[in-house]
């Protein structure tokens, strides 16, 4: 696969799409922005991190194999991320050069959601939420504690997003089939 970055340049403010770095293993299924770069979640089970070098070029700085095809990814903190996969796992990966992975949730079917937000006003800090083919939306703390299903659908859930809505505050939105 290839990574592309779009930006605006020139006086005309024309959109430009540029290839970033060398080809990477697998096909990217999702992307998360981290400090100084981005991380791709790929269908071959790899996360691939790109960072902007001092000369302005993009360098592939880290490839981590997770064992199952990956589906969704979200930034966690400055440099870490959470990623879910076809094997039913949601993992936290610490930033920097660490390859440390922590299993947060394990299901029997594919996971298709990875979002990070302050979802529970009763506890300080962010939580991680995921959704999957089992129809469950699960919220867990980044350390792996307190996992609980907060909603369930009879159909497969294929995507999860988080946002703030007037009158509701922070809310999870799931889509499926």
């Amino acid at each position: 696969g290839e990574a592309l970055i779009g930006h605006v340049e020139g006086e005309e403010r024309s959109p430009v799409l540029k290839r970033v770095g060398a080809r990477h293993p697998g096909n990217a299924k999702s992307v998360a922005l981290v400090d100084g770069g981005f991380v791709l979640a790929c269908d071959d089970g790899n996360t691939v991190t790109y960072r902007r070098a001092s000369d302005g070029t993009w360098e592939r700085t880290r490839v981590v194999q997770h064992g199952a095809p990956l589906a969704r990814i979200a930034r966690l903190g400055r440099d870490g991320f959470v990623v879910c996969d076809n094997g039913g796992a949601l993992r936290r990966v610490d930033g920097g050069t660490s390859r440390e992975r922590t299993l947060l949730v394990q299901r029997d079917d594919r996971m298709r959601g990875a979002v990070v937000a302050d979802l529970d006003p009763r506890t300080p800090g962010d939580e991680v939420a995921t959704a999957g083919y089992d129809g469950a939306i699960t919220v867990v703390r980044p350390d792996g504690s307190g996992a609980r299903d907060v909603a369930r659908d009879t159909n497969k859930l294929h995507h999860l997003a988080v946002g703030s809505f007037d009158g509701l505050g922070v809310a999870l939105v799931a889509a499926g089939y």
Side-chain angles (χ1 to χ4, degrees):
E2 293 181 287
L4 303 169
I5 292 213
H7 64 98
V8 180
E9 67 180 34
E11 289 182 26
E12 302 84 32
R13 305 301 294 160
S14 301
V16 176
L17 194 61
K18 294 183 178 179
R19 282 188 172 72
V20 174
R23 293 184 62 81
H24 57 264
N27 298 304
K29 303 298 272 186
S30 188
V31 61
L33 302 179
V34 295
D35 279 2
F38 59 93
V39 183
L40 303 173
C42 299
D43 64 0
D44 66 349
N46 283 307
T47 50
V48 182
T49 303
Y50 285 89
R51 301 271 184 210
R52 188 110 189 246
S54 59
D55 66 1
T57 61
W58 290 90
E59 298 176 342
R60 186 173 60 207
T61 60
R62 181 170 71 152
V63 177
V64 179
Q65 176 53 238
H66 298 272
L70 302 176
R72 305 290 184 269
I73 191 168
R75 177 183 179 148
L76 179 65
R78 288 184 38 143
D79 217 18
F81 55 89
V82 293
V83 64
C84 64
D85 66 32
N86 285 0
L90 173 71
R91 290 183 181 84
R92 183 189 80 224
V93 179
D94 297 327
T97 58
S98 171
R99 295 189 188 313
E100 186 69 30
R101 295 173 293 210
T102 303
L103 181 66
L104 301 178
V105 176
Q106 179 67 56
R107 299 285 194 201
D108 293 332
D109 209 342
R110 298 174 184 195
M111 298 299 264
R112 286 295 182 264
V115 299
V116 177
D118 188 357
L119 300 168
D120 187 347
R122 299 169 299 177
T123 60
D126 287 339
E127 287 80 32
V128 178
T130 189
Y133 277 21
D134 64 357
I137 298 175
T138 304
V139 174
V140 62
R141 289 187 191 93
D143 66 4
S145 66
R148 64 196 183 286
D149 290 349
V150 297
R152 183 169 288 279
D153 193 75
T154 57
N155 294 310
K156 296 176 180 178
L157 296 177
H158 200 71
H159 193 73
L160 186 66
V162 65
S164 183
F165 298 93
D166 289 342
L168 290 177
V170 176
L172 296 169
V173 178
Y177 53 87

